[in-house]
Amino acid sequence: MNIRTETENDYERVNELLTQAFSGQEEAILVQRLRVDGAFERELSMVAEEDGIIKGHIMFSRASLLEGDHTHRVAALGPLAVLPKFQRQGIGGKLIEEGKRRCLSHGYPLVFLFGHPSYYPRHGFVQARNHGIDVSQFAVSDEAFMVAELLQGALHDLHGEFRFHPAFENLG
């Protein structure tokens, strides 16, 4: 399995993967918006490829944590997708771990997501509201609003209101 940075030549296959994995267009549209808006750093959009087949994709985009008059630069994970016939083989976990490593190397102290509460804690994610972080941009349960600390001490030091990039708004 090769985890590598997505290229423009991958876009069509990634869009197909997203449509299959999520049974719809919403996530593919989101990824297209993030690409157009320049809301991510190229190295933070990755594919898992094996034998010429793109089996998985993950994207991390720029996000904000607003604390009073200060805005902290943080990352948002989403979407993460694996082709249905290759799920439950550890591909998603490998993409998450490589993505977290790359996010830290790009200076992101925290990475946020809205996700499945039984899956993401296995990869170091915890409930964000338990750490003094809230979100009002979207309605989301405490269990699904999660954060992973990339820089030691960041969850202790950073608090406030999380905001996804505007490309996430008005989908569907």
PDB file of all heavy atoms in Angstrom, residues 90-118:
ATOM      1  N   GLY A  90      -7.789  -1.527   7.427  1.00  0.00           N
ATOM      2  CA  GLY A  90      -6.788  -0.639   8.013  1.00  0.00           C
ATOM      3  C   GLY A  90      -6.341   0.500   7.119  1.00  0.00           C
ATOM      4  O   GLY A  90      -5.458   1.276   7.506  1.00  0.00           O
ATOM      5  N   ILE A  91      -6.931   0.636   5.949  1.00  0.00           N
ATOM      6  CA  ILE A  91      -6.522   1.694   5.015  1.00  0.00           C
ATOM      7  C   ILE A  91      -6.831   3.069   5.596  1.00  0.00           C
ATOM      8  O   ILE A  91      -5.994   3.974   5.557  1.00  0.00           O
ATOM      9  CB  ILE A  91      -7.196   1.493   3.643  1.00  0.00           C
ATOM     10  CG1 ILE A  91      -6.710   0.178   3.019  1.00  0.00           C
ATOM     11  CG2 ILE A  91      -6.926   2.680   2.719  1.00  0.00           C
ATOM     12  CD1 ILE A  91      -7.499  -0.269   1.802  1.00  0.00           C
ATOM     13  N   GLY A  92      -8.034   3.245   6.137  1.00  0.00           N
ATOM     14  CA  GLY A  92      -8.413   4.535   6.727  1.00  0.00           C
ATOM     15  C   GLY A  92      -7.473   4.931   7.855  1.00  0.00           C
ATOM     16  O   GLY A  92      -7.053   6.084   7.946  1.00  0.00           O
ATOM     17  N   GLY A  93      -7.131   3.987   8.707  1.00  0.00           N
ATOM     18  CA  GLY A  93      -6.218   4.261   9.812  1.00  0.00           C
ATOM     19  C   GLY A  93      -4.844   4.697   9.336  1.00  0.00           C
ATOM     20  O   GLY A  93      -4.241   5.615   9.897  1.00  0.00           O
ATOM     21  N   LYS A  94      -4.342   4.061   8.281  1.00  0.00           N
ATOM     22  CA  LYS A  94      -3.039   4.446   7.735  1.00  0.00           C
ATOM     23  C   LYS A  94      -3.088   5.854   7.161  1.00  0.00           C
ATOM     24  O   LYS A  94      -2.149   6.635   7.322  1.00  0.00           O
ATOM     25  CB  LYS A  94      -2.603   3.444   6.667  1.00  0.00           C
ATOM     26  CG  LYS A  94      -2.224   2.098   7.238  1.00  0.00           C
ATOM     27  CD  LYS A  94      -1.892   1.097   6.151  1.00  0.00           C
ATOM     28  CE  LYS A  94      -1.596  -0.267   6.780  1.00  0.00           C
ATOM     29  NZ  LYS A  94      -1.469  -1.318   5.776  1.00  0.00           N
ATOM     30  N   LEU A  95      -4.197   6.191   6.490  1.00  0.00           N
ATOM     31  CA  LEU A  95      -4.351   7.545   5.956  1.00  0.00           C
ATOM     32  C   LEU A  95      -4.413   8.579   7.083  1.00  0.00           C
ATOM     33  O   LEU A  95      -3.788   9.641   6.991  1.00  0.00           O
ATOM     34  CB  LEU A  95      -5.603   7.632   5.082  1.00  0.00           C
ATOM     35  CG  LEU A  95      -5.504   6.986   3.699  1.00  0.00           C
ATOM     36  CD1 LEU A  95      -6.893   6.790   3.095  1.00  0.00           C
ATOM     37  CD2 LEU A  95      -4.628   7.823   2.784  1.00  0.00           C
ATOM     38  N   ILE A  96      -5.144   8.264   8.142  1.00  0.00           N
ATOM     39  CA  ILE A  96      -5.248   9.183   9.279  1.00  0.00           C
ATOM     40  C   ILE A  96      -3.879   9.422   9.905  1.00  0.00           C
ATOM     41  O   ILE A  96      -3.489  10.564  10.166  1.00  0.00           O
ATOM     42  CB  ILE A  96      -6.241   8.658  10.337  1.00  0.00           C
ATOM     43  CG1 ILE A  96      -7.677   8.699   9.798  1.00  0.00           C
ATOM     44  CG2 ILE A  96      -6.135   9.466  11.635  1.00  0.00           C
ATOM     45  CD1 ILE A  96      -8.677   7.940  10.672  1.00  0.00           C
ATOM     46  N   GLU A  97      -3.157   8.360  10.171  1.00  0.00           N
ATOM     47  CA  GLU A  97      -1.863   8.500  10.848  1.00  0.00           C
ATOM     48  C   GLU A  97      -0.865   9.287   9.997  1.00  0.00           C
ATOM     49  O   GLU A  97      -0.159  10.158  10.503  1.00  0.00           O
ATOM     50  CB  GLU A  97      -1.312   7.136  11.253  1.00  0.00           C
ATOM     51  CG  GLU A  97      -2.146   6.442  12.320  1.00  0.00           C
ATOM     52  CD  GLU A  97      -2.497   7.318  13.516  1.00  0.00           C
ATOM     53  OE1 GLU A  97      -1.600   8.010  14.056  1.00  0.00           O
ATOM     54  OE2 GLU A  97      -3.680   7.336  13.922  1.00  0.00           O
ATOM     55  N   GLU A  98      -0.809   8.999   8.702  1.00  0.00           N
ATOM     56  CA  GLU A  98       0.089   9.763   7.829  1.00  0.00           C
ATOM     57  C   GLU A  98      -0.362  11.216   7.748  1.00  0.00           C
ATOM     58  O   GLU A  98       0.457  12.137   7.759  1.00  0.00           O
ATOM     59  CB  GLU A  98       0.147   9.134   6.432  1.00  0.00           C
ATOM     60  CG  GLU A  98       0.967   9.921   5.427  1.00  0.00           C
ATOM     61  CD  GLU A  98       2.453  10.051   5.774  1.00  0.00           C
ATOM     62  OE1 GLU A  98       2.963   9.335   6.667  1.00  0.00           O
ATOM     63  OE2 GLU A  98       3.119  10.897   5.132  1.00  0.00           O
ATOM     64  N   GLY A  99      -1.667  11.426   7.688  1.00  0.00           N
ATOM     65  CA  GLY A  99      -2.197  12.788   7.643  1.00  0.00           C
ATOM     66  C   GLY A  99      -1.875  13.572   8.899  1.00  0.00           C
ATOM     67  O   GLY A  99      -1.496  14.755   8.824  1.00  0.00           O
ATOM     68  N   LYS A 100      -2.018  12.949  10.051  1.00  0.00           N
ATOM     69  CA  LYS A 100      -1.692  13.631  11.307  1.00  0.00           C
ATOM     70  C   LYS A 100      -0.208  14.000  11.341  1.00  0.00           C
ATOM     71  O   LYS A 100       0.161  15.097  11.758  1.00  0.00           O
ATOM     72  CB  LYS A 100      -2.075  12.752  12.503  1.00  0.00           C
ATOM     73  CG  LYS A 100      -3.576  12.699  12.745  1.00  0.00           C
ATOM     74  CD  LYS A 100      -3.987  11.651  13.760  1.00  0.00           C
ATOM     75  CE  LYS A 100      -3.271  11.705  15.060  1.00  0.00           C
ATOM     76  NZ  LYS A 100      -3.714  10.662  16.007  1.00  0.00           N
ATOM     77  N   ARG A 101       0.641  13.096  10.888  1.00  0.00           N
ATOM     78  CA  ARG A 101       2.083  13.363  10.853  1.00  0.00           C
ATOM     79  C   ARG A 101       2.375  14.562   9.952  1.00  0.00           C
ATOM     80  O   ARG A 101       3.124  15.470  10.313  1.00  0.00           O
ATOM     81  CB  ARG A 101       2.831  12.114  10.362  1.00  0.00           C
ATOM     82  CG  ARG A 101       4.343  12.226  10.452  1.00  0.00           C
ATOM     83  CD  ARG A 101       5.053  11.096   9.727  1.00  0.00           C
ATOM     84  NE  ARG A 101       4.862  11.137   8.283  1.00  0.00           N
ATOM     85  CZ  ARG A 101       5.428  12.021   7.461  1.00  0.00           C
ATOM     86  NH1 ARG A 101       6.211  12.968   7.925  1.00  0.00           N
ATOM     87  NH2 ARG A 101       5.200  11.972   6.161  1.00  0.00           N
ATOM     88  N   ARG A 102       1.736  14.586   8.772  1.00  0.00           N
ATOM     89  CA  ARG A 102       1.960  15.690   7.830  1.00  0.00           C
ATOM     90  C   ARG A 102       1.393  17.000   8.369  1.00  0.00           C
ATOM     91  O   ARG A 102       2.004  18.055   8.186  1.00  0.00           O
ATOM     92  CB  ARG A 102       1.344  15.370   6.474  1.00  0.00           C
ATOM     93  CG  ARG A 102       2.072  14.274   5.716  1.00  0.00           C
ATOM     94  CD  ARG A 102       1.478  14.090   4.339  1.00  0.00           C
ATOM     95  NE  ARG A 102       2.078  12.978   3.632  1.00  0.00           N
ATOM     96  CZ  ARG A 102       1.955  12.790   2.312  1.00  0.00           C
ATOM     97  NH1 ARG A 102       1.252  13.651   1.579  1.00  0.00           N
ATOM     98  NH2 ARG A 102       2.517  11.764   1.730  1.00  0.00           N
ATOM     99  N   CYS A 103       0.226  16.941   9.007  1.00  0.00           N
ATOM    100  CA  CYS A 103      -0.356  18.169   9.584  1.00  0.00           C
ATOM    101  C   CYS A 103       0.580  18.774  10.621  1.00  0.00           C
ATOM    102  O   CYS A 103       0.789  19.990  10.648  1.00  0.00           O
ATOM    103  CB  CYS A 103      -1.723  17.878  10.210  1.00  0.00           C
ATOM    104  SG  CYS A 103      -3.074  17.720   9.023  1.00  0.00           S
ATOM    105  N   LEU A 104       1.148  17.941  11.481  1.00  0.00           N
ATOM    106  CA  LEU A 104       2.092  18.431  12.482  1.00  0.00           C
ATOM    107  C   LEU A 104       3.302  19.059  11.799  1.00  0.00           C
ATOM    108  O   LEU A 104       3.763  20.141  12.199  1.00  0.00           O
ATOM    109  CB  LEU A 104       2.524  17.307  13.421  1.00  0.00           C
ATOM    110  CG  LEU A 104       3.544  17.699  14.490  1.00  0.00           C
ATOM    111  CD1 LEU A 104       3.010  18.800  15.405  1.00  0.00           C
ATOM    112  CD2 LEU A 104       3.955  16.480  15.308  1.00  0.00           C
ATOM    113  N   SER A 105       3.808  18.440  10.741  1.00  0.00           N
ATOM    114  CA  SER A 105       4.983  18.992  10.050  1.00  0.00           C
ATOM    115  C   SER A 105       4.661  20.323   9.360  1.00  0.00           C
ATOM    116  O   SER A 105       5.571  21.108   9.096  1.00  0.00           O
ATOM    117  CB  SER A 105       5.545  17.987   9.039  1.00  0.00           C
ATOM    118  OG  SER A 105       4.729  17.904   7.897  1.00  0.00           O
ATOM    119  N   HIS A 106       3.378  20.584   9.116  1.00  0.00           N
ATOM    120  CA  HIS A 106       2.945  21.862   8.535  1.00  0.00           C
ATOM    121  C   HIS A 106       2.570  22.878   9.617  1.00  0.00           C
ATOM    122  O   HIS A 106       2.042  23.945   9.302  1.00  0.00           O
ATOM    123  CB  HIS A 106       1.767  21.648   7.575  1.00  0.00           C
ATOM    124  CG  HIS A 106       2.187  21.112   6.246  1.00  0.00           C
ATOM    125  ND1 HIS A 106       2.343  21.913   5.143  1.00  0.00           N
ATOM    126  CD2 HIS A 106       2.517  19.863   5.843  1.00  0.00           C
ATOM    127  CE1 HIS A 106       2.737  21.172   4.118  1.00  0.00           C
ATOM    128  NE2 HIS A 106       2.851  19.927   4.526  1.00  0.00           N
ATOM    129  N   GLY A 107       2.785  22.525  10.873  1.00  0.00           N
ATOM    130  CA  GLY A 107       2.591  23.471  11.959  1.00  0.00           C
ATOM    131  C   GLY A 107       1.207  23.507  12.568  1.00  0.00           C
ATOM    132  O   GLY A 107       0.897  24.421  13.342  1.00  0.00           O
ATOM    133  N   TYR A 108       0.376  22.536  12.261  1.00  0.00           N
ATOM    134  CA  TYR A 108      -0.961  22.495  12.862  1.00  0.00           C
ATOM    135  C   TYR A 108      -0.886  21.833  14.236  1.00  0.00           C
ATOM    136  O   TYR A 108      -0.418  20.696  14.345  1.00  0.00           O
ATOM    137  CB  TYR A 108      -1.936  21.729  11.975  1.00  0.00           C
ATOM    138  CG  TYR A 108      -2.256  22.421  10.681  1.00  0.00           C
ATOM    139  CD1 TYR A 108      -1.683  22.012   9.485  1.00  0.00           C
ATOM    140  CD2 TYR A 108      -3.135  23.497  10.655  1.00  0.00           C
ATOM    141  CE1 TYR A 108      -1.979  22.651   8.288  1.00  0.00           C
ATOM    142  CE2 TYR A 108      -3.435  24.150   9.462  1.00  0.00           C
ATOM    143  CZ  TYR A 108      -2.853  23.715   8.286  1.00  0.00           C
ATOM    144  OH  TYR A 108      -3.153  24.356   7.105  1.00  0.00           O
ATOM    145  N   PRO A 109      -1.360  22.505  15.294  1.00  0.00           N
ATOM    146  CA  PRO A 109      -1.301  21.918  16.633  1.00  0.00           C
ATOM    147  C   PRO A 109      -2.448  20.933  16.909  1.00  0.00           C
ATOM    148  O   PRO A 109      -2.315  20.049  17.749  1.00  0.00           O
ATOM    149  CB  PRO A 109      -1.414  23.129  17.550  1.00  0.00           C
ATOM    150  CG  PRO A 109      -2.218  24.124  16.760  1.00  0.00           C
ATOM    151  CD  PRO A 109      -1.838  23.899  15.326  1.00  0.00           C
ATOM    152  N   LEU A 110      -3.582  21.129  16.221  1.00  0.00           N
ATOM    153  CA  LEU A 110      -4.784  20.320  16.446  1.00  0.00           C
ATOM    154  C   LEU A 110      -5.430  19.990  15.113  1.00  0.00           C
ATOM    155  O   LEU A 110      -5.335  20.763  14.160  1.00  0.00           O
ATOM    156  CB  LEU A 110      -5.813  21.087  17.293  1.00  0.00           C
ATOM    157  CG  LEU A 110      -5.413  21.538  18.690  1.00  0.00           C
ATOM    158  CD1 LEU A 110      -6.467  22.485  19.263  1.00  0.00           C
ATOM    159  CD2 LEU A 110      -5.230  20.331  19.606  1.00  0.00           C
ATOM    160  N   VAL A 111      -6.130  18.856  15.079  1.00  0.00           N
ATOM    161  CA  VAL A 111      -6.948  18.513  13.918  1.00  0.00           C
ATOM    162  C   VAL A 111      -8.342  18.131  14.417  1.00  0.00           C
ATOM    163  O   VAL A 111      -8.475  17.385  15.389  1.00  0.00           O
ATOM    164  CB  VAL A 111      -6.323  17.413  13.039  1.00  0.00           C
ATOM    165  CG1 VAL A 111      -6.130  16.122  13.782  1.00  0.00           C
ATOM    166  CG2 VAL A 111      -7.140  17.187  11.787  1.00  0.00           C
ATOM    167  N   PHE A 112      -9.368  18.693  13.767  1.00  0.00           N
ATOM    168  CA  PHE A 112     -10.768  18.519  14.161  1.00  0.00           C
ATOM    169  C   PHE A 112     -11.524  17.719  13.108  1.00  0.00           C
ATOM    170  O   PHE A 112     -11.139  17.687  11.934  1.00  0.00           O
ATOM    171  CB  PHE A 112     -11.451  19.887  14.299  1.00  0.00           C
ATOM    172  CG  PHE A 112     -10.969  20.680  15.471  1.00  0.00           C
ATOM    173  CD1 PHE A 112      -9.825  21.455  15.383  1.00  0.00           C
ATOM    174  CD2 PHE A 112     -11.674  20.657  16.668  1.00  0.00           C
ATOM    175  CE1 PHE A 112      -9.384  22.184  16.477  1.00  0.00           C
ATOM    176  CE2 PHE A 112     -11.232  21.391  17.760  1.00  0.00           C
ATOM    177  CZ  PHE A 112     -10.084  22.158  17.656  1.00  0.00           C
ATOM    178  N   LEU A 113     -12.635  17.135  13.531  1.00  0.00           N
ATOM    179  CA  LEU A 113     -13.527  16.455  12.601  1.00  0.00           C
ATOM    180  C   LEU A 113     -14.900  16.275  13.222  1.00  0.00           C
ATOM    181  O   LEU A 113     -15.064  16.377  14.439  1.00  0.00           O
ATOM    182  CB  LEU A 113     -12.959  15.102  12.176  1.00  0.00           C
ATOM    183  CG  LEU A 113     -12.707  14.031  13.246  1.00  0.00           C
ATOM    184  CD1 LEU A 113     -13.973  13.281  13.629  1.00  0.00           C
ATOM    185  CD2 LEU A 113     -11.682  13.054  12.740  1.00  0.00           C
ATOM    186  N   PHE A 114     -15.862  16.020  12.359  1.00  0.00           N
ATOM    187  CA  PHE A 114     -17.166  15.505  12.753  1.00  0.00           C
ATOM    188  C   PHE A 114     -17.136  14.060  12.262  1.00  0.00           C
ATOM    189  O   PHE A 114     -17.002  13.828  11.062  1.00  0.00           O
ATOM    190  CB  PHE A 114     -18.315  16.231  12.059  1.00  0.00           C
ATOM    191  CG  PHE A 114     -18.525  17.669  12.456  1.00  0.00           C
ATOM    192  CD1 PHE A 114     -19.436  18.431  11.764  1.00  0.00           C
ATOM    193  CD2 PHE A 114     -17.844  18.261  13.501  1.00  0.00           C
ATOM    194  CE1 PHE A 114     -19.676  19.756  12.099  1.00  0.00           C
ATOM    195  CE2 PHE A 114     -18.062  19.587  13.842  1.00  0.00           C
ATOM    196  CZ  PHE A 114     -18.984  20.336  13.139  1.00  0.00           C
ATOM    197  N   GLY A 115     -17.247  13.104  13.171  1.00  0.00           N
ATOM    198  CA  GLY A 115     -17.103  11.721  12.731  1.00  0.00           C
ATOM    199  C   GLY A 115     -17.728  10.716  13.657  1.00  0.00           C
ATOM    200  O   GLY A 115     -18.284  11.046  14.697  1.00  0.00           O
ATOM    201  N   HIS A 116     -17.581   9.469  13.263  1.00  0.00           N
ATOM    202  CA  HIS A 116     -18.197   8.358  13.979  1.00  0.00           C
ATOM    203  C   HIS A 116     -17.495   8.127  15.312  1.00  0.00           C
ATOM    204  O   HIS A 116     -16.292   7.876  15.356  1.00  0.00           O
ATOM    205  CB  HIS A 116     -18.158   7.091  13.133  1.00  0.00           C
ATOM    206  CG  HIS A 116     -19.172   6.101  13.552  1.00  0.00           C
ATOM    207  ND1 HIS A 116     -19.017   5.313  14.662  1.00  0.00           N
ATOM    208  CD2 HIS A 116     -20.381   5.799  13.028  1.00  0.00           C
ATOM    209  CE1 HIS A 116     -20.079   4.543  14.800  1.00  0.00           C
ATOM    210  NE2 HIS A 116     -20.927   4.820  13.819  1.00  0.00           N
ATOM    211  N   PRO A 117     -18.258   8.219  16.424  1.00  0.00           N
ATOM    212  CA  PRO A 117     -17.641   8.142  17.752  1.00  0.00           C
ATOM    213  C   PRO A 117     -17.034   6.791  18.125  1.00  0.00           C
ATOM    214  O   PRO A 117     -16.282   6.704  19.092  1.00  0.00           O
ATOM    215  CB  PRO A 117     -18.770   8.507  18.716  1.00  0.00           C
ATOM    216  CG  PRO A 117     -20.016   8.553  17.930  1.00  0.00           C
ATOM    217  CD  PRO A 117     -19.670   8.543  16.479  1.00  0.00           C
ATOM    218  N   SER A 118     -17.315   5.741  17.366  1.00  0.00           N
ATOM    219  CA  SER A 118     -16.681   4.467  17.700  1.00  0.00           C
ATOM    220  C   SER A 118     -15.428   4.221  16.849  1.00  0.00           C
ATOM    221  O   SER A 118     -14.635   3.338  17.159  1.00  0.00           O
ATOM    222  CB  SER A 118     -17.666   3.306  17.525  1.00  0.00           C
ATOM    223  OG  SER A 118     -17.984   3.133  16.161  1.00  0.00           O
TER     224      SER A 118
END
